[in-house]
Amino acid sequence: MKKLISLILMLGLFLMTAYANGNQGDKKLMIQIDIKSDSGKHTLTATLENNSSAVAFYEFLKKGSVTVSMNDYGNFEKVGSLGTTLPRNDKQITTSAGDIILYQGNQITIYYDVNSWNFTRLGKVVSTGSTTAINQTELKKVLGKGDVTAVFSIKE
């Protein structure tokens, strides 16, 4: 009887460990983006994609936060130099509000409208400090008109 109970306990422990290890791969990497624009200071939260570019970006941020001066481009994005080059996973995509895109391997963009091109998607803005979801109108307000300063860091 003791052997049977021990066997059942070991099997249960094995299954719980396998379940926990299997679910760790589903954990999304999160970053924080502190924005300073003409509309004030705002904090965004974003999830990163599951690609080598996003992982390299996350590893880059592990060394410390990165401040990027971003300019408005085409009335659909804010773009700025990342200060490093990351691996590219470019493919033809159509962006939407909140997409964080790597362009040319060394430029980072935050989209507030649509555009189609060969890009690498790094992540997606999922919330602001005041709401748990963000829409295009709210993102446009956060990013404001003109240039912004964005500080990218790992979400603690």
Side-chain angles (χ1 to χ4, degrees):
M1 186 66 156
K2 285 184 178 182
K3 287 183 181 181
L4 180 59
I5 292 173
S6 294
L7 181 61
I8 291 171
L9 289 174
M10 286 177 37
L11 180 60
L13 181 61
F14 173 77
L15 291 174
M16 286 189 305
T17 302
Y19 176 78
N21 287 339
N23 283 336
Q24 282 181 325
D26 295 340
K27 183 180 177 186
K28 291 275 189 179
L29 298 177
M30 304 289 290
I31 63 168
Q32 178 172 308
I33 310 165
D34 293 310
I35 301 286
K36 184 178 177 185
S37 69
D38 66 352
S39 68
K41 293 181 180 181
H42 309 274
T43 299
L44 305 174
T45 300
T47 57
L48 294 182
E49 290 290 307
N50 184 18
N51 63 41
S52 62
S53 304
V55 170
F57 183 51
Y58 191 81
E59 291 298 318
F60 181 58
L61 293 178
K62 279 184 174 180
K63 298 174 188 171
S65 62
V66 176
T67 302
V68 179
S69 296
M70 303 181 87
N71 307 93
D72 197 78
Y73 180 79
N75 290 322
F76 53 78
E77 70 178 319
K78 301 292 184 185
V79 61
S81 175
L82 194 52
T84 193
T85 300
L86 300 175
R88 294 165 62 174
N89 287 285
D90 291 350
K91 61 182 176 180
Q92 180 69 34
I93 60 173
T94 299
T95 64
S96 62
D99 280 344
I100 301 168
I101 301 292
L102 178 67
Y103 178 68
Q104 298 293 318
N106 62 3
Q107 303 285 312
I108 192 163
T109 64
I110 302 173
Y111 276 82
Y112 57 87
D113 212 331
V114 297
N115 186 28
S116 294
W117 199 256
N118 287 322
F119 297 125
T120 298
R121 184 176 280 119
L122 290 177
K124 181 82 169 178
V125 174
V126 292
S127 68
T128 68
S130 60
T131 63
T132 57
I134 190 163
N135 61 37
Q136 182 179 21
T137 302
E138 185 176 0
L139 188 57
K140 280 183 177 182
K141 180 182 174 191
V142 166
L143 294 174
K145 295 180 170 73
D147 299 345
V148 303
T149 300
V151 180
F152 294 84
S153 60
I154 292 176
K155 175 86 172 149
E156 297 297 329

